[in-house]
Amino acid sequence: MERSLSTTLSADTRASAIPTAGRLRSGIVLVTLLTCQLMIILDITVMNVALPRIRTDLHFTATNLSWVMNAYTLVFGGLLLLGGRAGDLFGRRNLFIAGTALFTVASLAGGLAPSATWLLIARVVQGIGGAMAGPSTLALLTTTFSEPKARMRVLALFSGMSSAGFAIGLIVGGLLTEWLSWRSALFINVPFGLAVVVLALRYLPIVERQPARLDLPGAVTATGGVAALVYGFISAASHGWGDAGTVIWLAVGAASVAAFLTIEARTAQPLLPLRLFLDRNRAAAYANMFLGPMAGMSMFFFLTQYLQEVRGLSALATGFAFMPTALLMFTMIRLIPRLLPRFGPKPVTVVGTISMAAGLALLTRLTVDSGYFPLLFVAMILMGCGIGLAFSPLNVIIMSSVPPAEAGAAGGALQTLQQTGASLGLAILVTIFGTASRDAGGSAQHALVSGITTAFAAAVGIAALTFAVALTFRSTRPTT
């Protein structure tokens, strides 16, 4: 029987987290894994600030511009389940190194892109590399740091890299875009990727392979289904809901997702073991890992355009405008190892989801003349607190009691739901944005703001769902 979160968090301290390595080696392993995770997450938002310049240089349309983001997050999210099982089969260390190397090479190619097509292909390959390395990163952390308190700390740090990386990416992207060019936002991965590969070859422990086979039918239906749904929503933004192509893509996506769930229920070694959802808290955590990014990613995407195209901020100023969110997210993440044992997951996530919904609600009041203070500043503080509190505990809840043999699958499912939620959420909100912008009339800036505020209103509804899910968490006894 799986241990509860409270039992895991209150367990007595055991021996060394890595029996055959000293504290220094443990630190190097942790830094190596977290650096890879930060690179993967940064590339989701580091391009946000650069989008206006990418559109100009490579001649993207306004609605197709979101594919700079979706080409990466879609492939990354769609292949994470396969990457988790592949790590079990071929060795998590091997797949981590291979995935990081592929990600690094694709980053170099993307930085050299002479056309929109070239950039999108490079982003797809980046997504493949990230999907190979991502689940192995989480699985290696979980199995390497096996002592409960150490595991909780490293999972909180992992969650911190995953959450704060979104805001940090905007700041880094602003610095690089302003001082160098948008291409440097991709080139920056190369030295860090090489360092991760070298350190991984030297220090990562060799983990015993788990008996597994690759569920290729599941991988095809999962990736194809999500891709079709996202493309259908993007098509709706460009051509309307009544367009035959839009309807067909949405229908294909829904049918593929249904086929995927049927396959997973019947196959002996599924990419997504449905038994992972039998635990009430883990199931709720998985649900919010999907819903949360659907709402949260909207802030980064739409505010970047608002700050640059309406308020006239530079890429550098836009990046630093998100500093309150990054600082608050990092602060909340640092508090999670103290808050969870004391209060349990339910109060922490409930407060976080309320804060996030309040921040998004404030953003619906944006106008063409809105200044940074107080509206945007307060909204970013609320979003930083909300994202940090609402989603940082989810990694701990999901991974704390997973058996080592299922760590790869559980980590793959976690990151899959996070990334597909972000991709689908952005596609849906871009569709709402496009429709509202076309119907708004008036000046170009007025139409843009009207579309953005309408999209934020829809994001508030999604955030309300995360709050409702947080209320379903089973209360656990706080530990002292």
Side-chain angles (χ1 to χ4, degrees), residues 311-405:
R311 302 305 302 164
L313 270 63
S314 66
L316 179 61
T318 299
F320 275 102
F322 288 92
M323 183 67 78
T325 300
L327 291 177
L328 266 295
M329 288 170 71
F330 183 75
T331 301
M332 295 301 105
I333 289 156
R334 295 279 292 177
L335 293 176
I336 289 299
R338 298 179 183 179
L339 296 177
L340 272 183
R342 183 174 181 181
F343 299 106
K346 186 172 184 176
V348 175
T349 52
V350 165
V351 170
T353 53
I354 290 174
S355 180
M356 185 176 69
L360 290 168
L362 270 181
L363 293 175
T364 64
R365 301 179 63 84
L366 282 175
T367 67
V368 173
D369 300 318
S370 294
Y372 187 76
F373 294 98
L375 192 149
L376 280 172
F377 181 74
V378 173
M380 288 191 179
I381 287 177
L382 289 170
M383 289 296 290
C385 291
I387 294 173
L389 292 176
F391 308 119
S392 295
L394 301 183
N395 288 300
V396 180
I397 295 168
I398 291 169
M399 300 300 296
S400 60
S401 59
V402 171

Side-chain angles (χ1 to χ4, degrees), residues 196-217:
V196 168
V197 170
V198 171
L199 291 174
L201 287 168
R202 175 67 177 85
Y203 291 102
L204 277 190
I206 298 175
V207 182
E208 181 180 355
R209 300 182 185 183
Q210 303 293 331
R213 68 177 181 84
L214 297 182
D215 178 17
L216 292 178

